[in-house]
Amino acid sequence: MAKWTPKHEAPEPLEGPVVATITGGTILWFVLFLVQIPFYGWFDDHGNLWWVWTCLAGAGLGLIGIWYVRGRDAALKRAAAAGDDSTDTPGATA
């Protein structure tokens, strides 16, 4: 079986409002958790209690994500201000 090799270079990663996107998703997970709290008994009776805890876990992981992307965004801005070209993606060929 032949080894697969790419025929062209990978496109540049898309940059956008990453912090806002992660923050919005985190808020959404937390709101979903709060909406499900009044129905805790119903979820428990039907064996779907994991839905409630999944929303809480999504909100908690989102907080970690916000911390991470804010640091990444700050590092990218510092690198751009310093005129450093180290913001290239690892493994990309020039």
Side-chain angles (χ1 to χ4, degrees):
M1 184 171 238
K3 182 178 177 184
W4 180 81
T5 56
K7 294 183 181 6
H8 53 82
E9 288 187 29
E12 291 293 320
L14 297 175
E15 290 294 333
V18 180
V19 176
T21 302
I22 301 300
T23 303
T26 302
I27 291 170
L28 181 63
W29 278 114
F30 190 67
V31 167
L32 288 171
F33 170 72
L34 292 177
V35 166
Q36 291 178 355
I37 289 296
F39 305 102
Y40 187 88
W42 184 89
F43 284 112
D44 193 22
D45 293 342
H46 290 84
N48 291 328
L49 198 54
W50 63 273
W51 287 11
V52 177
W53 302 118
T54 299
C55 292
L56 185 61
L61 291 172
L63 291 174
I64 295 170
I66 291 169
W67 172 77
Y68 179 81
V69 296
R70 287 185 68 197
R72 177 184 176 271
D73 193 40
L76 288 174
K77 287 179 182 175
R78 278 193 309 268
D84 190 10
D85 196 26
S86 66
T87 58
D88 291 339
T89 51
T93 57

